[in-house]
Amino acid sequence: TLPLVALAVGAGGWLIARRAVAPIQRITAQAEKISVSDLNQRMPPPPAKDEIGDLTRVLNEMFDRLQGSFEQVTRFTSDASHELKMPLTLMQAEVESALESGSFDSGERQRLTDLSEQCTRLSQIVDGLLLLSRADDRRLALEQEPVDLVRLVRELLEDAEILAEPAGLTLKCELAGEVVAFGDRRLLARAVMNLIDNAIKYNHAGGEITIAASAEGEQAVLRISNTGPGIPRGLGEKIFDRFYRGDPSHSDERPGHGLGLSIAREITRAHGGDLLLVRSDFQSTVFYLVLPLARAAAEGIEHSPFDRAESRPG
């Protein structure tokens, strides 16, 4: 009788514990689904008016406050970028008009030229912030069409060679016959050019840049690698932060505003893909831009052969 009683008591205790923990497990599962891209989700309150119900209510109120703050920041960034865009455009037009029509000495002309360059830089920052705020608010408009990544890269090579020439960099291409993704051609060109520009800036004189495109399963993969000093261990994800500059001591030598990789990743993720840092050491730094192939996007296939854990620097 004793073993049967012990077994019954154990089974009853297990059932009671399971029923007591079940609401917490549901709260945990629902909380894991809430992310920056989907802050409107909430946890369903349990029917009982107990401590777990109070905890659920408090967590939902906290998510309400977080969503409100996030939307306020996103709205402010979008509004500020939009309001700054027009005055900067007018300032640059006025400076360029003065340079074309006015007669200035060399010093004044140089100052106006520097002012025009700073207006251009500010306009690029504002444009980048506007794009990122739209991506945060899931309002990034995509004009979807089949895009051959091989052809896209070839179209960007001329600009890339001009940028690489002052440092004596060599561009190598390992391109397949055709790798067709599905997305916005203009935005994808911007993402790819940002990666190429980054590979040029963070390279050493006489170094190399390799661009390869291939189809891996149901994914289109664009690999961009460059020689250079590499990214210090532990900073693999930080480089995608907005306004992050890899080496502040060389910020004047390497023009930019620290938004290139952030913009490239947001554009890629808006297309259902991702931008991964696969390797970075003293020999090379390798980025993978992964997008669904056109046929996979049409069929709604969503899987990638790459593990996000591989995005850490080697």
Side-chain angles (χ1 to χ4, degrees), residues 145-155 176-182 185 188 213:
E145 63 176 330
V147 179
D148 183 3
L149 294 181
V150 173
R151 184 177 177 182
L152 182 67
V153 169
R154 294 192 189 281
E155 291 174 355
E178 187 179 74
V179 180
V180 182
F182 197 69
R185 184 179 189 84
L188 290 178

Side-chain angles (χ1 to χ4, degrees), residues 127-165:
D127 185 57
L129 286 175
L130 189 58
L131 186 146
L132 289 171
S133 66
R134 287 173 177 169
D136 289 340
D137 203 26
R138 298 180 297 281
R139 292 188 295 109
L140 192 60
L142 302 178
E143 298 179 3
Q144 302 276 15
E145 63 176 330
V147 179
D148 183 3
L149 294 181
V150 173
R151 184 177 177 182
L152 182 67
V153 169
R154 294 192 189 281
E155 291 174 355
L156 297 174
L157 277 180
E158 184 177 352
D159 292 339
E161 289 171 351
I162 293 173
L163 293 173
E165 185 178 359

Side-chain angles (χ1 to χ4, degrees), residues 276-280 285-289 306 309-314:
L276 308 172
L277 173 63
V278 178
R279 171 185 174 182
S280 185
T285 298
V286 183
F287 286 92
Y288 276 7
L289 190 153
F306 301 101
E310 295 179 359
S311 64
R312 300 170 186 166

Side-chain angles (χ1 to χ4, degrees), residues 200-257:
I200 293 172
K201 287 177 184 175
Y202 296 94
N203 212 324
H204 56 70
E208 293 183 354
I209 298 170
T210 303
I211 306 173
S214 60
E216 303 284 345
E218 299 296 337
Q219 301 287 335
V221 181
L222 185 67
R223 177 172 60 87
I224 298 179
S225 61
N226 66 284
T227 54
I231 299 169
R233 185 176 295 274
L235 297 181
E237 282 300 311
K238 196 171 182 62
I239 61 171
F240 295 103
D241 291 348
R242 297 165 191 186
F243 294 108
Y244 177 77
R245 303 294 301 276
D247 188 356
S249 63
H250 294 83
S251 59
D252 294 334
E253 301 174 14
R254 293 169 177 158
H257 38 71

